Amino acid sequence: MKNLIIKLLANAVALAAAAWLISGITIQGATTGRRILTLLIVAAIFGLVNAVVKPIVKLLSLPFIILTLGLLIFVINAVMLLLTSWITGQLDVQFHVEDFWPSALLGSLVITVVGMLLNAVLPDKAEIK
């Protein structure tokens, strides 16, 4: 359970960094607490999309991933971010990704880099007590 909460918070920090750095990604809320709640909801949805949809898309596009030497993974990550934006729009959560280029693609790169840095710093589930 602690591992799930840590991953949720890491996703929220990565999404906040992307929203702060990329002008086409917006997180809205009247107060700071509302924006934090929005970030946590978006992080949960983003985590579900990455856990359920992303493996299926990667499996179906495996020949193209190999053909492009893995560069298609960046496009898949951007599509997962756009899918998260669409789902949050359907649920009336104030998170929006403007378009594919540059917002979604650069946003997915920021989320990947921040996520990698946080995973390097945060403890693994075996170390959590």
Side-chain angles (χ1 to χ4, degrees):
M1 184 66 172
K2 288 182 182 180
N3 192 33
L4 181 66
I5 293 171
I6 289 173
K7 286 188 182 286
L8 178 72
L9 292 174
N11 264 346
V13 169
L15 285 163
W20 182 61
L21 291 171
I22 309 298
S23 62
I25 300 175
T26 56
I27 298 170
Q28 299 172 345
T31 63
T32 303
R34 185 75 178 153
R35 282 191 294 265
I36 291 172
L37 179 63
T38 300
L39 264 175
L40 291 174
I41 292 169
V42 172
I45 293 170
F46 188 62
L48 283 172
V49 166
N50 280 334
V52 176
V53 179
K54 189 175 179 179
I56 297 168
V57 172
K58 284 173 72 174
L59 180 65
L60 293 175
S61 61
L62 189 60
F64 299 108
I65 292 172
I66 293 169
L67 186 66
T68 62
L69 302 175
L71 291 177
L72 186 63
I73 296 289
F74 293 119
V75 175
I76 292 172
N77 289 342
V79 171
M80 295 302 112
L81 188 59
L82 284 172
L83 180 61
T84 302
S85 175
W86 179 80
I87 291 170
T88 56
Q90 299 299 311
L91 297 175
D92 201 27
V93 177
Q94 301 298 316
F95 174 76
H96 181 68
V97 178
E98 187 101 4
D99 53 3
F100 182 80
W101 179 261
S103 301
L105 193 61
L106 289 178
S108 68
L109 288 173
V110 168
I111 291 168
T112 300
V113 169
V114 171
M116 285 176 25
L117 291 173
L118 288 175
N119 285 332
V121 173
L122 293 174
D124 290 337
K125 65 181 176 182
E127 297 177 26
I128 298 174
K129 296 179 182 178

